Amino acid sequence: MSHDAADILRELGKDRRLIVRSVDPLNVETPLESLEGAITPLSLFFIRNNDNIPRIATDSWTLTIDGLVERPLTITYAELRRLPAISYVAVLQCSGNSRARFAAQGPEPEGIQWGNGAIGNAEWVGVPVRTLLERAGVRPGALQAECIGGDADRTTRGVEVTKLMDDAILAYAMNGEPLPVIHGGPVRLIVPGWGGINSIKWIVGMRLIPHESASKYNQQKYVIEDAAGNRLGKVREIAVNSVISNIRTEQRLSAGPVVVRGYAWAPSGIARVEISTDGGDSWHAARLMADLGPRSWRQWEWIWEATPGTHVLA
């Protein structure tokens, strides 16, 4: 780690084990082997930025909702905090998580070369977006809300109104603390089960529109293409996924009992995790750890009676 990176982590109160992928803008990855439970501590939570980090005081923050609504409104931080709030535990994952693994199969893809740690699991507290959209009165034909960040570039992402009405929140607390500015404070959008780009940080606006947003974060970025460049779809829901967190590729282990641990996540919860040590010819059920709800990832473990030789774990 460079001296500058170490200084940045120290100033932010972050764990020195974090992996700094870029400094300007700041992007930092969590080494999953450093995690001990289902909740990712703030000190170990990954950081994803497309731009520099703004500083917005709580007493100057406002959110404006306009566009296809009956009653455009602007709400202050104090007003937001007076509204009924909910909490849930939810995974937040950059849609480029594990991107570096593509390089083993072909050309290195563009973007930050994340390992498996552009992901975290936190308890979020905030006001349901539905509360404010109902107050504003959504007009017929509203397809997306252009959610606008308070960063210098005014990062904008069109998010489907139906999803926002379902379970999105305007979060102002994370793991029992006021939402840190590095993670989008004073208020950020949380859209559980969808890629992190939808959970706009430092949110200051929601403009309802009757079509898909023309933002580059809808039309040029976060678009799924095949090898020939043909568009196959857009990034929305996260994929079902699992990772072994405590054993590294090509690691040498002693024969005998070995504890294999990891995490599994999906848009609507995990029912079962199975482990293979022979490349997929046979599978064994892992023990699922604490269930923190359908939006959370699930920690798991399995005791492997390792035998001498080479094994492929999956």
Side-chain angles (χ1 to χ4, degrees):
M1 182 188 302
S2 71
H3 178 71
D4 287 346
D7 288 344
I8 290 170
L9 292 180
R10 185 170 58 253
E11 290 170 4
L12 294 173
K14 290 289 189 177
D15 194 294
R16 64 185 303 273
R17 290 173 292 177
L18 289 171
I19 304 164
V20 178
R21 295 296 183 190
S22 69
V23 172
D24 188 15
L26 184 62
N27 288 283
V28 178
E29 178 173 344
T30 304
L32 294 185
E33 65 271 17
S34 67
L35 301 181
E36 297 180 357
I39 298 293
T40 309
L42 288 177
S43 62
L44 282 166
F45 211 92
F46 82 103
I47 301 169
R48 174 69 174 110
N49 289 301
N50 287 301
D51 195 3
N52 291 327
I53 301 163
R55 300 283 175 174
I56 304 173
T58 55
D59 58 2
S60 62
W61 178 88
T62 60
L63 173 73
T64 298
I65 299 178
D66 56 17
L68 284 177
V69 295
E70 300 291 345
R71 299 169 294 277
L73 62 86
T74 296
I75 188 168
T76 67
Y77 183 82
E79 290 169 335
L80 183 74
R81 291 297 303 265
R82 287 196 290 268
L83 294 174
I86 64 170
S87 67
Y88 49 60
V89 177
V91 163
L92 183 66
Q93 177 183 224
C94 174
S95 297
N97 192 30
S98 303
R99 180 182 286 131
R101 292 163 63 183
F102 282 101
Q105 305 171 34
E108 181 179 294
E110 65 177 80
I112 296 169
Q113 297 305 298
W114 296 110
N116 296 320
I119 187 171
N121 197 49
E123 181 185 26
W124 309 95
V125 178
V127 175
V129 174
R130 170 186 286 273
T131 299
L132 295 181
L133 290 183
E134 288 180 343
R135 178 179 291 190
V138 178
R139 292 170 58 187
L143 176 67
Q144 286 190 341
E146 288 194 314
C147 301
I148 305 164
D151 53 319
D153 272 357
R154 284 295 193 262
T155 297
T156 300
R157 168 76 172 185
V159 182
E160 277 64 20
V161 172
T162 52
K163 175 61 176 174
L164 294 172
M165 294 285 280
D166 182 23
D167 59 358
I169 63 172
L170 294 163
Y172 51 73
M174 180 181 182
N175 289 354
E177 298 184 22
L179 185 63
V181 64
I182 193 67
H183 294 300
V187 180
R188 75 173 298 165
L189 183 64
I190 292 293
V191 183
W194 284 28
I197 184 59
N198 298 283
S199 295
I200 291 292
K201 294 191 288 186
W202 316 294
I203 187 167
V204 295
M206 300 180 74
R207 180 172 299 113
L208 276 62
I209 56 176
H211 50 75
E212 189 173 273
S213 173
S215 165
K216 66 180 180 181
Y217 294 105
N218 289 85
Q219 302 303 328
Q220 285 83 47
K221 298 176 179 290
Y222 303 93
V223 176
I224 303 169
E225 299 178 344
D226 64 16
N230 299 309
R231 292 195 172 191
L232 304 178
K234 302 293 180 68
V235 173
R236 288 186 174 85
E237 278 195 337
I238 60 176
V240 179
N241 211 336
S242 183
V243 66
I244 296 169
S245 61
N246 70 323
I247 297 176
R248 302 183 305 277
T249 301
E250 300 186 3
Q251 182 174 346
R252 289 182 176 271
L253 304 169
S254 298
V258 174
V259 178
V260 184
R261 294 192 182 93
Y263 297 87
W265 58 96
S268 55
I270 292 294
R272 187 175 67 256
V273 173
E274 295 179 346
I275 310 299
S276 172
T277 62
D278 54 17
D281 290 337
S282 61
W283 295 89
H284 312 273
R287 181 169 71 96
L288 296 179
M289 310 301 274
D291 184 356
L292 301 182
R295 303 175 182 90
S296 170
W297 67 13
R298 199 80 182 266
Q299 194 177 22
W300 54 264
E301 72 174 28
W302 179 65
I303 308 300
W304 173 33
E305 290 295 334
T307 57
T310 299
H311 302 270
V312 178
L313 274 63

